């Protein structure tokens, strides 16, 4: 369930100074428009981002997430060391299980949102957002004890298959995932050269709201797996634009938009990542701030926004109520599955579901209404 981060910068064809994933040539050959994404040349779309979005909801979309950085923590105290840096529980993870969590700073802000996986008793792996990879690596290296080895794994990357047909596609390749529920994982040889052992891991999850899998493996394995998957007519490449609209419909946060070092997980609606027994006194950096916000309520909160009309509202648009400024849009765009604009934003104070607000879109007032998230129901295998 690799998360997403930052906004692509237009840079057609991918300049030579950008980093490239092992699947770069696959994207170019498929006709992708390449852009600068956190210093990587990445596919933003192949033909129509709207069609890619709808195909993922209807069949199976294939995503290159190779720009994100796996980081391994090794040692008997690896789980406890990571747990000390997050309000979430890590030690309770059994082997093969993953968990979405956030790293916090001293004032409760989010350093990054991550997926942590218990690979073995003495091995925990996280996957860092591309724009935060070095920050995360430095943070983990500095904050963990000497008996825990923190090691970046640039030799590994992520390939994700998402959509209602994903499990059937994998079954046809000999990988039956019927025994896995959401965020379960295990070693796999899917895509590996015959007879050659590889460090590959398959998890049931993703960041689109759909059922699917993510495979962490080396470049050659991911390239071979991509070829195997794309041979199935139910599978097609999907770029960053549709990946963003899919996660927005699913009400999933984007680092740099909905999360940053000045935003707490309580404000972001991520209190569910904190065990109930720990909410009154989280033992992590900024735990006192989080405890106060749990007790008294946060000064602002992330809400879903339904947009009146067909004009999308974009990140940064000011929100007001009865002429009084109350917040801003943090993520917004076109929701292809609902055939309407969708958004999320931060509002100060208590503005319950059904509250009517106004978004300032380039000097024009656009009516929006506070709604529950997600905009589109999740279809995870529970």
């Amino acid at each position: 369930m690799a998360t997403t981060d930052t906004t692509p910068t237009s840079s057609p064809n991918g300049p030579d100074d950008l980093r490239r994933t092992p699947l770069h040539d696959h994207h170019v050959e498929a006709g992708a428009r390449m852009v600068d994404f956190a210093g990587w040349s990445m596919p933003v779309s192949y033909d129509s981002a709207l069609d890619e979005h709808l195909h993922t909801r209807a069949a199976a979309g294939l995503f290159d997430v190779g720009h994100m950085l796996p980081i391994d923590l090794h040692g008997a105290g690896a789980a406890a060391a990571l747990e000390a840096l997050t309000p979430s529980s890590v030690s309770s993870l059994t082997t093969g299980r993953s968990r979405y969590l956030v790293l916090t700073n001293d004032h409760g802000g989010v350093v990054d949102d991550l997926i942590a996986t218990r690979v073995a008793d003495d091995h925990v792996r996280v996957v860092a957002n591309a724009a935060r990879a070095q920050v995360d690596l430095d943070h983990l290296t500095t904050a963990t004890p000497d008996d825990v080895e923190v090691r970046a794994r640039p030799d590994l990357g992520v390939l994700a298959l998402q959509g209602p047909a994903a499990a059937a596609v994998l079954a046809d390749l000999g990988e039956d995932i019927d025994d896995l529920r959401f965020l379960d994982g295990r070693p796999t040889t899917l895509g590996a050269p015959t007879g050659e052992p590889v460090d590959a891991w398959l998890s049931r999850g993703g960041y689109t709201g759909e059922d699917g899998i993510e495979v962490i493996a080396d470049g050659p394995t991911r390239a071979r797996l991509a070829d195997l998957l794309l041979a199935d007519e139910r599978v097609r490449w999907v770029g960053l634009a549709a990946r963003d609209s899919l996660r927005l419909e699913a009400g999933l946060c984007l680092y740099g938009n909905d999360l940053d070092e000045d935003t707490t997980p309580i404000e972001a609606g991520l209190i569910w990542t904190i065990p109930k027994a720990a909410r009154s006194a989280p033992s992590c950096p900024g735990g006192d701030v989080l405890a106060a916000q749990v007790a008294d309520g946060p000064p602002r909160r992330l809400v879903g926004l339904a947009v009146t009309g067909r004009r999308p509202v974009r990140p940064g648009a000011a929100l007001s109520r009865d002429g009084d400024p109350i917040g801003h849009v943090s993520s917004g765009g076109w929701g292809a599955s609902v055939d309407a604009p969708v958004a999320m934003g931060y509002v100060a104070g208590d503005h319950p579901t059904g509250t009517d607000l106004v978004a300032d879109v380039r000097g024009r007032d656009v009516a929006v209404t506070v709604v529950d998230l997600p905009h589109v129901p999740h279809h995870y295998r529970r």
Side-chain angles (χ1 to χ4, degrees):
M1 185 178 174
T3 59
T4 59
D5 64 312
T6 75
T7 302
T9 300
S10 180
S11 184
N13 303 318
D16 291 338
D17 60 341
L18 296 180
R19 300 177 68 182
R20 297 180 175 185
T21 76
L23 295 169
H24 181 271
D25 290 347
H26 284 63
H27 305 311
V28 174
E29 290 170 6
R33 183 166 70 89
M34 307 301 290
V35 299
D36 178 351
F37 187 83
W40 291 78
S41 177
M42 296 295 292
V44 68
S45 63
Y46 298 83
D47 183 15
S48 164
L50 186 147
D51 288 347
E52 292 165 27
H53 176 119
L54 293 175
H55 183 86
T56 302
R57 293 273 189 245
L62 186 61
F63 301 78
D64 180 7
V65 202
H67 58 309
M68 302 177 76
L69 179 65
I71 301 173
D72 286 343
L73 288 78
H74 290 278
L82 180 60
E83 187 168 273
L85 304 178
T86 173
S88 297
S89 172
V90 180
S91 298
S92 63
L93 284 174
T94 56
T95 299
R97 285 290 292 168
S98 298
R99 180 164 291 151
Y100 175 84
L101 54 79
V102 298
L103 302 177
T104 54
N105 57 29
D106 288 340
H107 54 274
V110 176
V111 175
D112 201 3
D113 61 330
L114 309 165
I115 296 296
T117 300
R118 189 72 169 262
V119 180
D121 287 347
D122 59 352
H123 180 190
V124 177
R125 174 175 289 159
V126 298
V127 179
N129 285 312
R132 303 296 290 176
Q134 191 60 51
V135 173
D136 292 354
L137 184 60
D138 293 344
H139 184 71
L140 291 168
T141 301
T142 301
T144 51
D146 292 341
D147 60 352
V148 173
E149 177 193 6
V150 177
R151 182 158 61 100
R153 296 298 305 273
D155 56 311
L156 302 179
V158 185
L159 185 68
L161 183 69
Q162 300 286 289
V169 169
L170 291 170
D172 286 349
L173 291 176
E175 186 80 41
D176 187 349
I177 62 169
D178 195 55
D179 60 316
L180 300 181
R181 59 194 171 106
F182 184 57
L183 295 181
D184 277 346
R186 63 182 178 217
T188 182
T189 57
L190 187 61
T194 303
E196 182 177 336
V198 295
D199 182 1
W201 186 269
L202 179 150
S203 294
R204 193 160 195 166
Y207 216 66
T208 61
E210 295 295 330
D211 185 25
I213 59 100
E214 294 182 322
V215 173
I216 298 179
D218 61 22
T221 299
R222 280 178 282 148
R224 175 171 166 74
L225 177 55
D227 290 338
L228 292 172
L229 292 170
L230 290 165
D232 191 308
E233 64 182 9
R234 293 168 290 185
V235 180
R236 62 179 291 187
W237 279 121
V238 179
L240 294 173
R243 186 164 183 253
D244 186 51
S245 58
L246 288 160
R247 71 88 199 166
L248 173 57
E249 284 186 343
L252 303 173
C253 290
L254 176 71
Y255 198 93
N257 284 47
D258 313 297
L259 298 173
D260 57 37
E261 294 211 35
D262 295 317
T263 301
T264 72
I266 311 303
E267 292 173 319
L270 300 178
I271 190 172
W272 56 269
T273 66
I274 308 175
K276 290 183 179 180
R279 292 176 186 175
S280 62
S283 56
C284 63
D288 55 338
V289 176
L290 303 186
Q293 290 188 359
V294 169
D296 304 329
R300 58 176 185 155
R301 66 187 183 98
L302 185 68
V303 299
L305 299 169
V307 182
T308 300
R310 308 288 285 179
R311 179 188 293 268
V313 298
R314 301 297 182 184
L319 293 170
S320 62
R321 184 181 185 191
D322 299 329
D324 296 323
I326 61 165
H328 71 279
V329 173
S330 55
S331 287
W334 186 257
S337 305
V338 297
D339 193 32
V342 292
M344 302 192 294
Y346 280 94
V347 296
D350 183 19
H351 299 280
T353 297
T355 301
D356 293 327
L357 308 175
V358 172
D360 181 351
V361 180
R362 297 180 180 178
R364 296 184 61 177
D365 288 347
V366 175
V368 299
T369 302
V370 175
V371 295
D372 293 330
L373 291 171
H375 295 287
V376 172
H378 296 167
H379 298 105
Y380 303 133
R381 172 68 178 272
R382 299 293 187 180

